[in-house]
Amino acid sequence: MSKELRYVIIGAGMAGILAGIKLLERGEKNFTILEKASALGGTWRENRYPGLTCDVPAHAYTYSFAPYAEWKSYYANGPDIRDYFEKVAADFGVNPYIRYNAEVTSCDFDEATATWTVGVSGTEEIEADIVICASGVLHHPKMPDIPGLDSFAGKAFHSARWDDSAVLDGTRVGIVGCGSTGAQILTALTGRSKQIVHFQRSPQWIMPVPQFDYTDEEREAFRKDVKLIDAIRYNKEYWDAILRFTDGITNIDGPQMKEIEDYCLQNLENSIKDPELRKKLTPNYRAACKRLIYSWCYYDHVQKPNVYVDTGAIERVEPAGVRMKDGTLHELDVLVLATGFRADRFIRPASVIGRNGKSLDDAWAVRPTAFNAVTLPDFPNFFMLNGPTGPVGNFSLIDIAEAQWKYVDQLIDRLRAGNARAVEPTHEAMADYEEKRIAAAKKTIFGSGCTSWYLDDTGVPASWPWSYQAFVDAMAKPDFEDYRFAA
Ligand code: NAP
């Protein structure tokens, strides 16, 4: 007996759109995608800062089933990526299923009926058999704890809350933070702003990569022959580099990460002329401990005469600008806080209550986690895409979400077949996973000594600590022994 299941998908970003497409592919139409904002695109909607680019090659940053001939360059910019997701959602018929301005505020599971009640914007409730949580990782801005921020006379804002009224042309701009975001903003502003101060608390590893535009002829060729796109998406050299990279993350004494470090340091040496600046930009921790910055132009831009990198400690923000501990005042008109995100929030602050009144806050009291990065004991029929402990690094999270969907889909199959009403991992499987994961995570490069959003509050890397291939293998087929199916 097959059963028509009711689904709620939380979030109309890359993973939520994927889930919608996959359900439609199976002929399942009883689902709603709840999106808190008024447009789709997730991170590519929220981030609108100048210079926004994806550091995964554009043709590799697509759904495997939706190649795209129209990319303008090897690495795509944010607006083009957002256009892509809008096009895919339209082409695959997902749009009618998205409800905008519909923020999920609660999810409550009733064991007797195996039903989730999903609270929307505090005003409405929707019932579902299955919740697909595709709410993203990097969407809660982390504001820096700098005294006096509110006193700044100019415009100060987080990079993911871009203030369009801020004047950037011909003005003095300060950028706090030099992760991928801060580096990209800097490269976009050197030709516009009069003066830029980059406040750098830790130097970054910069991986030099090529950037180039595709010609009209190339796009025409891509349209005619998808094999040309596949040749880029599945390029052996590109994938070998990813596998070398993930091997380097898990095998920190091996040659792979050392090679990456040598390559980056050689590029630093060749690119940065001023020895003092070179010293400032030389990392003092292992490469990839923080997310590597892939850039084709950061070193060019940081050497422009209108850029100053201040590696000193910030004392406070004053109405006129940023006062350093050494007494220097950087007078500024605009202050951009590229200070990252609270990566431990996920779907929270929504209240999620599973079986026996167990809350997500309780389950994650020590750290956010999920069995195989997808499911949680006591939270039946609750599946996370790009949830805690999934792989992170310089590769496409679309591929990660697609692999996770394969796994989730097989778990749901038993519910579709009517053989069970609820599925969740056993506590034993979860405990065993987490014990092994933590032990392995501490040995990865992420745990080698640096600050980064990859670490949880206790300093344990929050990500998948095994190889990329191990993840793909784990997602290929669930081990049903690890699961409890309730009839
Ligand atoms: P991030 O990597 O977490 O970097 C935050 C930066 O802010 C760091 O330089 C940090 O310094 C600094 N910072 C934080 N608090 C500070 C304070 N109180 N005073 C001074 N400096 C402070 O954040 P992000 O650059 O926004 O990037 C987050 C993630 O978004 C990336 O790792 C990546 O996964 C994703 N992203 C991807 C792309 C892409 O191209 N695919 C582009 C942008 C972002 P410390 O290093 O010393 O902590």
Side-chain angles (χ1 to χ4, degrees):
M1 183 194 73
S2 76
K3 182 171 177 216
E4 190 191 23
L5 298 170
R6 301 161 298 167
Y7 298 81
V8 158
I9 298 168
I10 306 175
M14 168 275 284
I17 294 168
L18 168 75
I21 292 171
K22 291 291 166 185
L23 289 178
L24 287 176
E25 230 173 51
R26 301 187 61 111
E28 294 190 295
K29 296 183 177 164
N30 200 343
F31 70 91
T32 306
I33 303 179
L34 298 172
E35 169 53 56
K36 68 180 176 196
S38 56
L40 57 74
T43 195
W44 302 106
R45 177 204 61 235
E46 295 222 335
N47 284 287
R48 295 179 299 107
Y49 60 77
L52 175 65
T53 314
C54 180
D55 64 5
V56 175
H59 283 293
Y61 194 75
T62 59
Y63 299 108
S64 60
F65 50 83
Y68 189 51
E70 310 309 322
W71 294 121
K72 296 190 191 103
S73 46
Y74 186 65
Y75 291 103
N77 66 37
D80 287 350
I81 296 170
R82 198 176 135 181
D83 287 351
Y84 169 75
F85 285 118
E86 282 178 354
K87 181 175 170 7
V88 171
D91 288 354
F92 285 80
V94 172
N95 283 340
Y97 298 87
I98 305 177
R99 275 187 50 192
Y100 292 105
N101 304 308
E103 180 169 7
V104 170
T105 44
S106 61
C107 299
D108 291 275
F109 186 71
D110 177 51
E111 194 167 9
T113 57
T115 303
W116 281 98
T117 300
V118 179
V120 186
S121 307
T123 55
E124 191 193 341
E125 289 183 340
I126 299 179
E127 287 198 344
D129 302 301
I130 311 264
V131 172
I132 307 289
C133 185
S135 52
V137 193
L138 301 171
H139 58 121
H140 293 287
K142 194 174 88 192
M143 295 298 281
D145 190 12
I146 303 175
L149 254 183
D150 289 344
S151 71
F152 185 54
K155 303 264 183 195
F157 48 88
H158 189 272
S159 54
R161 296 287 179 272
W162 198 264
D163 182 341
D164 290 318
S165 68
V167 179
L168 305 165
D169 296 296
T171 55
R172 300 159 303 175
V173 179
I175 304 170
V176 181
C178 50
S180 305
T181 304
Q184 290 182 352
I185 293 172
L186 178 121
T187 59
L189 293 188
T190 56
R192 297 177 57 185
S193 305
K194 184 165 114 197
Q195 192 206 325
I196 297 172
V197 182
H198 204 177
F199 298 95
Q200 178 195 279
R201 192 165 66 178
S202 322
Q204 291 280 350
W205 285 93
I206 308 283
M207 166 71 85
V209 289
Q211 167 70 318
F212 54 86
D213 290 339
Y214 291 116
T215 62
D216 288 341
E217 290 71 28
E218 281 170 311
R219 275 188 290 277
E220 185 56 22
F222 290 145
R223 278 177 217 125
K224 287 186 179 140
D225 187 358
V226 74
K227 286 206 279 310
L228 296 174
I229 296 179
D230 286 350
I232 302 171
R233 193 183 202 287
Y234 301 107
N235 178 278
K236 183 169 172 349
E237 218 176 290
Y238 169 70
W239 278 100
D240 282 351
I242 287 186
L243 297 179
R244 258 200 321 276
F245 176 77
T246 52
D247 283 352
I249 285 171
T250 49
N251 175 14
I252 67 175
D253 296 322
Q256 298 94 336
M257 202 52 76
K258 181 79 180 56
E259 276 168 25
I260 289 174
E261 287 168 342
D262 289 346
Y263 185 62
C264 293
L265 288 176
Q266 192 59 57
N267 179 54
L268 172 71
E269 180 76 24
N270 296 344
S271 308
I272 301 290
K273 312 263 177 320
D274 173 14
E276 204 178 311
L277 180 59
R278 207 184 305 139
K279 201 166 148 210
K280 283 182 183 176
L281 298 179
T282 303
N284 50 2
Y285 55 91
R286 297 295 308 271
C289 183
K290 298 175 192 288
R291 192 174 197 273
L292 271 186
I293 295 182
Y294 281 23
S295 182
W296 50 95
C297 60
Y298 177 74
Y299 284 158
D300 288 344
H301 287 266
V302 79
Q303 295 183 88
K304 303 262 183 202
N306 60 341
V307 175
Y308 179 71
V309 177
D310 198 326
T311 57
I314 295 173
E315 171 77 17
R316 62 177 178 272
V317 175
E318 299 180 357
V322 173
R323 176 79 63 183
M324 308 303 289
K325 281 233 154 63
D326 68 5
T328 311
L329 173 69
H330 293 290
E331 292 189 41
L332 299 168
D333 304 299
V334 177
L335 184 59
V336 178
L337 306 167
T339 43
F341 298 87
R342 289 204 58 188
D344 62 336
R345 301 278 82 200
F346 296 95
I347 178 139
R348 299 178 291 178
S351 145
V352 181
I353 312 286
R355 259 182 340 108
N356 302 323
K358 179 82 167 269
S359 74
L360 202 55
D361 279 336
D362 287 345
W364 288 353
V366 179
R367 59 175 63 86
T369 186
F371 178 64
N372 271 342
V374 174
T375 50
L376 257 184
D378 296 324
F379 295 83
N381 301 356
F382 187 87
F383 303 101
M384 288 172 271
L385 299 178
N386 292 127
T389 78
V392 288
N394 295 76
F395 42 74
S396 169
L397 284 185
I398 304 181
D399 289 336
I400 300 301
E402 284 195 33
Q404 289 175 326
W405 181 263
K406 263 190 209 147
Y407 181 92
V408 169
D409 203 32
Q410 294 174 69
L411 290 172
I412 298 175
D413 262 345
R414 292 208 177 179
L415 312 187
R416 291 184 180 115
N419 297 336
R421 289 202 309 168
V423 56
E424 64 184 282
T426 64
H427 280 275
E428 295 71 31
M430 180 76 234
D432 183 54
Y433 169 80
E434 194 58 354
E435 189 186 329
K436 288 182 177 143
R437 189 194 70 79
I438 290 171
K442 285 180 178 164
K443 291 189 205 142
T444 62
I445 206 101
F446 304 135
S448 64
C450 72
T451 54
S452 99
W453 66 265
Y454 291 163
L455 300 177
D456 70 24
D457 287 348
T458 69
V460 173
S463 58
W464 182 262
W466 301 289
S467 69
Y468 193 92
Q469 191 55 47
F471 175 76
V472 172
D473 293 345
M475 292 298 101
K477 190 169 176 7
D479 187 342
F480 292 109
E481 294 292 304
D482 293 329
Y483 281 90
R484 169 181 185 269
F485 287 88

